[in-house]
Amino acid sequence: MSGGLLVVLLVLPGAAAWAGGSGDGALRMTVTVDGRSDSAERPPAVRVGAQVVKRYLLENLGEAQVYGVRVVDPGVPGGAVRCPRQRLAALGELECVARFRALPGVRLATARARGDVPSLDVLSSATARSGYVGVAGGLTLTERVSVGGGRAAVTYTVANRGNQVLHAVRVEDTALPLGPGAVDCGGRAGTVPLLPPGASVRCTATVLRPPGTHRSTGLATGSDRVPTLDAGGAPVPAPTLTARSSAAFTIPAPPGGAGVGGGSGGSGASGGSVRGGVAGVGGVGGGSGVAGVPGTSGGAGVAGAAGGAGTGAGAAGAGTAGAGTGAGGAPGAPAVPGAPAAVPGGVPQAVPPNAPPSVPRAAPTPVPPTPARTAGSVPAAPSQGVPETVPGIGDRQQQQQQQQQQQQRQRAEAVPDDEGFLGRLRRRAREAHEFGVVAMLLLLLIPAAVAAALLGSRVK
């Protein structure tokens, strides 16, 4: 009897250990998601892109040790669940952890844990369901600009690309000067009350801008009003969602813009015309027509025409000539020697008489005024004709001689009132060499005539 009891006692402990759990019912797993253990019934809301932390608590309810514990969860991207490399003791616990970024949508999955019991050649396993809801607030904004009549019409398109309803979406422009209520969103001033997932609304605005290139910068704001949890299980309020857009546009200048007007009639300046390849500039008329400045070779001034227009002309021997006209001269006034000539732009400038030969300038031909005549005066020799053109390159010495002759002629023409007959003869003899012989004869004949008169009176 005692031997039989001993066999029963030896068998019972072994039987109790096996019966205490080393099979499928000996391993149990509990999963928490961001601190929530009831995620299978009430999955927590997690903002898309935020970190999710899953913790897998493994309990060994058996009396045999479990080796090589591993967890596979389809709800974890890539199945990256880390478990410690240690055995799970009998009646002990072990924790595995998975960390990853939240994805949009409902993410529920069943995880499976496994381990080996080498002493009994048994595979122990357990399952648990868990997950979360990825909250995606996807607000987008695009815009298009059309231009016409100096105005820009901007069309903003706001859309919800998330998985939650957006509330109080507001559309504005931070670059264009739009006043309150300038943006129209379906009859509402720049606000969309509700925007369901996948829906879009168009908003329009019109702005008047000056000609040139401008830029529009749209801004849309809204919220899904969904609070979420962070990795530690703390509540996170719903953020403000923001979307931006930008577009450049150009306002063209209005057609038929005012052009630049020409000079007034009082300026009297005129542009030169090109003939033979070189342009000349005409003179400017003041009180009378003045000599013109030639393009390459100077020309003499010509008397102003009726109506007050002076004309300057210059001609070159190699087919080069310049011509121009000046306005504002007195009717029929003759050209005045030495008057300032016109330059391009209508500003009269005087040409110095001693300018170097390399600088082309006009060679004015003196036109003496009509001398005053008194009783008994001898008429002066007629002046020679003024040539219409002067050679292209003037001679400095010749010009100086002409000026000296002009000054002498002017001094000679000033006749005093008390000058006698002999004085006039001497002056005329000095002025005109044509009367030299006549003066000598008169000087010889006058004394002879006087002597003859005396002799005749004596004889009588």
Side-chain angles (χ1 to χ4, degrees), residues 155-415:
T155 302
Y156 308 92
T157 302
V158 58
N160 184 0
R161 296 291 181 260
N163 55 12
Q164 302 293 326
V165 177
L166 300 181
H167 302 265
V169 179
R170 182 175 180 81
V171 180
E172 55 186 339
D173 199 307
T174 59
L176 296 179
L178 300 178
V183 180
D184 181 17
C185 297
R188 297 180 179 269
T191 303
V192 180
L194 293 176
L195 189 61
S200 62
V201 174
R202 289 185 178 181
C203 302
T204 59
T206 303
V207 61
L208 179 63
R209 301 299 292 159
T213 300
H214 307 275
R215 179 170 293 277
S216 168
T217 303
L219 175 64
T221 56
S223 176
D224 51 23
R225 299 179 180 178
V226 178
T228 57
L229 298 179
D230 61 7
V236 178
T240 300
L241 304 177
T242 303
R244 299 179 183 274
S245 63
S246 180
F249 60 93
T250 301
I251 301 294
V260 179
S264 61
S267 65
S270 62
S273 60
V274 178
R275 290 202 300 265
V278 180
V281 181
V284 179
S288 61
V290 298
V293 179
T296 298
S297 59
V302 184
T311 304
T320 303
T325 60
V336 178
V343 296
V347 180
Q349 296 182 358
V351 179
N354 56 352
S358 58
V359 181
R361 59 188 181 88
T365 301
V367 179
T370 303
R373 299 183 62 181
T374 58
S377 62
V378 180
S383 60
Q384 298 180 357
V386 179
E388 294 182 355
T389 59
V390 181
I393 302 177
D395 189 3
R396 173 188 285 182
Q397 296 180 357
Q398 182 178 0
Q399 294 176 4
Q400 294 178 355
Q401 293 177 1
Q402 292 178 357
Q403 293 178 359
Q404 293 176 1
Q405 293 177 2
Q406 179 183 359
Q407 295 175 0
Q408 293 176 1
R409 187 179 296 109
Q410 291 177 355
R411 288 195 301 266
E413 289 173 354
V415 182

Side-chain angles (χ1 to χ4, degrees), residues 67-157:
Y67 295 85
V69 178
R70 54 195 178 276
V71 177
V72 178
D73 188 353
V76 177
V81 179
R82 294 183 179 182
C83 296
R85 294 183 180 182
Q86 63 185 26
R87 60 187 174 85
L88 179 57
L91 305 178
E93 294 180 352
L94 185 147
E95 185 181 73
C96 299
V97 181
R99 292 181 174 86
F100 55 93
R101 298 293 177 181
L103 300 176
V106 179
R107 299 288 174 169
L108 290 175
T110 300
R112 180 178 295 275
R114 292 182 179 181
D116 298 326
V117 185
S119 61
L120 301 176
D121 195 16
V122 175
L123 180 65
S124 182
S125 64
T127 60
R129 187 172 179 81
S130 64
Y132 64 94
V133 176
V135 177
L139 182 64
T140 62
L141 180 66
T142 59
E143 66 177 273
R144 178 176 53 86
V145 183
S146 59
V147 178
R151 298 178 180 269
V154 188
T155 302
Y156 308 92
T157 302

